[in-house]
Amino acid sequence: MLSRKLLTALVTFIISVVFYSVYLKGPAPILFVAIFCGTLLSIFIGYIEKKMKFHSFWAGFIFHIIIAFLLAAIFLQDHYFQVTFYFALPVAVGYFLIDEVLRAKLSSKAL
């Protein structure tokens, strides 16, 4: 799981840097911090799912959305809603979807 999460973080970071730097001229260093913190929290969610022996696509999706809101609330004081909806949520959703694709690909190879 840890290697999958790290690969997910790398892919998400590359895609996000390209998108936000080229199209929106966003600050790339903030992406690294956000994806790093989000990855740590995603690993924690994965650990809880593994301990409970329960994985749900929708529960994971909701948890990642909550993480995006929490990280934005913790690190930002100004322009909270704009940054959350234009930056944090798209990156969190992208991270989650990339992670689910990798989970499916890696689990199908294990069978």
Side-chain angles (χ1 to χ4, degrees):
M1 175 188 65
L2 184 59
S3 60
R4 186 187 82 235
K5 296 286 186 180
L6 294 176
L7 180 59
T8 301
L10 178 65
V11 171
T12 304
F13 180 72
I14 291 169
I15 291 170
S16 298
V17 165
V18 168
F19 180 75
Y20 284 105
S21 295
V22 172
Y23 295 110
L24 300 178
K25 296 182 176 34
I30 293 173
L31 281 171
F32 179 74
V33 172
I35 292 172
F36 177 75
C37 292
T39 299
L40 292 177
L41 291 170
S42 183
I43 290 169
F44 180 70
I45 289 170
Y47 177 75
I48 290 172
E49 286 178 341
K50 192 173 183 177
K51 281 291 192 186
M52 293 174 53
K53 295 181 173 107
F54 174 75
H55 173 73
S56 166
F57 178 87
W58 292 109
F61 182 76
I62 291 168
F63 284 139
H64 282 79
I65 296 298
I66 291 170
I67 287 172
F69 276 107
L70 289 177
L71 286 177
I74 290 169
F75 290 111
L76 298 174
Q77 293 179 8
D78 296 329
H79 308 292
Y80 170 77
F81 288 109
Q82 292 88 349
V83 173
T84 300
F85 289 107
Y86 294 112
F87 176 70
L89 285 178
V91 172
V93 169
Y95 179 94
F96 176 74
L97 294 175
I98 291 167
D99 190 43
E100 288 299 312
V101 167
L102 288 175
R103 179 192 312 269
K105 294 280 186 195
L106 294 175
S107 67
S108 68
K109 285 184 181 181
L111 297 176

